[in-house]
Amino acid sequence: DRGDIQITEAKAPLPKMDIQTRNGDLTLTLPEGAPFELDGHTGAGEVQNDYGSPLETKNDGRSATVKGRTGNGPQLTLVTDRGTLSIKKK
């Protein structure tokens, strides 16, 4: 429920992920070139996206979303009610 979550995947193929926290930052670091489909949401926070255009980031007042795909890979779902959502390349 509370606390930051940091996940680093070192190599592809990636597993399917469903990651949630109520109060805390979520940081997901993925290998460059790994295929995946991402659906992320923060209710009160911002999105930091190192992947650029394959992932579309939208800010709506206090909330933000990031969605998109980088190929035919597993579904990655990230949700935090309050906190920053970061998608990084390794």
Side-chain angles (χ1 to χ4, degrees):
D1 269 355
R2 296 182 182 162
D4 297 340
I5 298 174
Q6 296 181 8
I7 297 175
T8 300
E9 287 293 329
K11 60 184 177 176
L14 301 174
K16 178 181 175 184
M17 295 183 207
D18 186 1
I19 306 162
Q20 299 179 23
T21 186
R22 292 183 72 145
N23 295 303
D25 297 338
L26 284 178
T27 302
L28 181 60
T29 305
L30 302 171
E32 191 167 354
F36 60 88
E37 183 174 348
L38 181 82
D39 186 2
H41 175 79
T42 178
E46 62 182 38
V47 170
Q48 297 174 349
N49 171 18
D50 286 357
Y51 274 83
S53 64
L55 303 179
E56 182 180 347
T57 302
K58 291 184 182 178
N59 293 304
D60 184 22
R62 293 176 33 180
S63 67
T65 60
V66 58
K67 293 183 180 190
R69 68 175 45 219
T70 63
N72 192 16
Q75 176 70 40
L76 311 180
T77 304
L78 309 173
V79 177
T80 181
D81 290 340
R82 294 180 183 192
T84 299
L85 187 58
S86 301
I87 314 301
K88 298 185 176 191
K89 290 182 185 180
K90 181 173 177 94

